[in-house]
Amino acid sequence: MAAIMAIQRAGFAALSRKLARPRSCVAHACHLVPGPPSMGLLRSCRHASQSSKPGDAKEIMSSFPNSWVEPEALYEYAEHTDLTNASVEDGQYVDDEFARDFGKRNLAWRKRIVQDNPGIFDRIGRGQKPKYLWIGCCDSRVAAENMVGGSPGEIFVHRNIANMVISTDANFRAVLHYAVDYLQVEHLIVCGHYDCGGVKAAVTNRDHTPPVENWLTHIRDVYRLHQEELDIIE
């Protein structure tokens, strides 16, 4: 039902729009400082950059193992594929601009949070008790906390492409189990949104290659089974 609602919201005016591929990608390993007085501060220790020429991303993805292979195949792929043109050492920043930008933004965010609620980090440092489980899309425009003005510790969040609820998704099932049985949340929210790229991609006649294509199959099935009903939606 969630997938049907998402398809309805997406609309079909822009189905032919092509999905843009990024020309560079940077992987960062970040963590939040665990306790006071620095709780809420972001720390980044290691990250590697990948610079690509037009077509490089396509070549890399075409050689990527199918999403159903054993984990060892993914390790072997990483070991034998040069995804970076820069060396990475412990404590050395490959992308200093990222570190400066996110560091400043994190400090500003922490200062604002403490001003609004001085004891919040001490309180959430003792544990979390959210009332809501939010199941949403990975789309960068629809972060749950931003849209409802949520505070740290208020919303337990699970996000995936196109905000799907799939019974065979072990990740989702673990989140649901933990949220309901252990955190004892009071409300379950499945939130779709307009202009969902995942939904639009799924109803096009195009193979997006694994593992994206494997995931989009769930929406494709909904669209195939309910196409007549969905096609009348303006």
Side-chain angles (χ1 to χ4, degrees), residues 14-191:
L15 290 182
S16 60
R17 183 184 306 168
K18 294 182 178 179
L19 297 177
R21 286 184 178 270
R23 296 190 60 181
S24 64
C25 181
V26 183
H28 303 266
C30 301
H31 66 276
L32 288 172
V33 177
S38 300
M39 187 172 182
L41 291 178
L42 192 66
R43 289 286 185 265
S44 178
C45 299
R46 294 179 57 135
H47 45 276
S49 66
Q50 171 196 327
S51 297
S52 62
K53 300 176 182 178
D56 284 356
K58 185 176 181 179
E59 294 176 6
I60 291 172
M61 290 306 298
S62 66
S63 64
F64 194 82
N66 186 280
S67 59
W68 300 110
V69 300
E70 295 296 326
E72 289 76 9
L74 299 177
Y75 291 129
E76 183 178 352
Y77 171 80
E79 290 175 355
H80 293 85
T81 305
D82 183 15
L83 296 178
T84 175
N85 62 355
S87 61
V88 180
E89 299 178 3
D90 287 335
Q92 178 180 356
Y93 290 111
V94 177
D95 186 352
D96 290 333
E97 183 178 355
F98 166 85
R100 289 193 300 268
D101 180 42
F102 266 59
K104 291 178 181 178
R105 291 164 64 177
N106 174 239
L107 286 172
W109 169 81
R110 185 177 186 273
K111 182 178 179 180
R112 184 176 66 252
I113 292 294
V114 171
Q115 286 177 342
D116 294 340
N117 193 339
I120 186 170
F121 288 120
D122 291 332
R123 185 173 66 255
I124 65 175
R126 295 189 292 268
Q128 60 170 327
K129 188 62 177 177
K131 291 184 178 180
Y132 313 97
L133 168 59
W134 179 287
I135 303 164
C137 182
C138 289
D139 194 302
S140 60
R141 301 165 293 181
V142 290
E145 295 86 348
N146 294 346
M147 292 193 295
V148 300
S151 299
E154 187 176 4
I155 307 174
F156 196 62
V157 178
H158 175 76
R159 299 174 71 178
N160 59 50
I161 295 176
N163 59 276
M164 284 192 273
V165 175
I166 307 300
S167 62
T168 55
D169 181 0
N171 186 3
F172 165 74
R173 293 180 66 175
V175 169
L176 182 63
H177 178 199
Y178 184 72
V180 173
D181 288 352
Y182 293 92
L183 296 178
Q184 297 183 344
V185 298
E186 299 175 12
H187 305 276
L188 306 179
I189 303 167
V190 180
C191 182

